[in-house]
Amino acid sequence: MNHSSLEEYFEALSRIINGKPIRTDKGAKITKNLVSLEAGRGKGSIKKSRPIFEKLILAINEAQKNQELKANKEDKLTRANDSVKNLRLALDAALARELSLLYELYEVKRKLSALTGEKVIPFRPNAKSHLSDR
């Protein structure tokens, strides 16, 4: 194998890494077969047994690791965003329940005020009036 064909493999790997493949699908898992196909060669043309491919195989393995790390980071970010969304929904639901209960309490106190004849409806009793009721 001549030096120019090896360069074609490296160029193919570079295109794949940069997300601009010509012959293969964008975003596909980086493998030796994918690099072979992107370089216009047949599947399995990159062989471990051939010393000329040693550096290429190391570069492919490194690209695979980087691709997996990137995918893991994106997955973590997606999970974190989903978690934030769920927490916001739970907070909104809790605030809605709180507001509903406050409104219900206000209505009960208003009805109680009408029954007892008090003119002021204490929404929150202060410490003095609360203690004097005992």
Side-chain angles (χ1 to χ4, degrees):
M1 177 172 291
N2 61 24
H3 189 63
S4 64
S5 349
L6 191 59
E7 284 180 18
E8 290 176 16
Y9 284 110
F10 277 103
E11 289 170 2
L13 177 60
S14 178
R15 286 193 303 271
I16 292 169
I17 291 170
N18 294 327
K20 298 181 181 180
I22 298 170
R23 298 178 180 98
T24 58
D25 294 334
K26 184 177 179 180
K29 184 177 177 186
I30 299 174
T31 62
K32 291 184 290 188
N33 286 337
L34 184 72
V35 174
S36 296
L37 294 173
E38 179 62 26
R41 302 295 199 285
K43 259 185 174 179
S45 63
I46 300 173
K47 306 218 184 266
K48 290 181 188 178
S49 61
R50 296 183 187 160
I52 193 166
F53 290 126
E54 187 177 336
K55 289 182 181 178
L56 177 63
I57 291 172
L58 288 174
I60 292 171
N61 290 339
E62 186 67 27
Q64 284 174 335
K65 288 178 189 175
N66 290 338
Q67 186 182 44
E68 289 171 7
L69 288 174
K70 183 179 177 184
N72 287 341
K73 286 180 182 178
E74 289 173 357
D75 190 40
K76 284 181 182 180
L77 181 61
T78 300
R79 283 194 313 261
N81 285 337
D82 289 346
S83 178
V84 167
K85 182 179 176 182
N86 290 337
L87 288 172
R88 280 191 179 143
L89 290 173
L91 176 62
D92 288 345
L95 290 173
R97 282 191 305 274
E98 176 100 7
L99 187 59
S100 175
L101 289 171
L102 285 173
Y103 179 74
E104 187 177 344
L105 178 62
Y106 173 77
E107 287 297 315
V108 168
K109 285 188 175 191
R110 188 177 61 77
K111 289 177 183 176
L112 181 63
S113 174
L115 291 173
T116 61
E118 291 181 17
K119 295 192 185 225
V120 178
I121 302 173
F123 200 70
R124 287 190 177 169
N126 59 24
K128 288 182 183 179
S129 67
H130 185 51
L131 294 175
S132 64
D133 290 342
R134 288 186 182 180

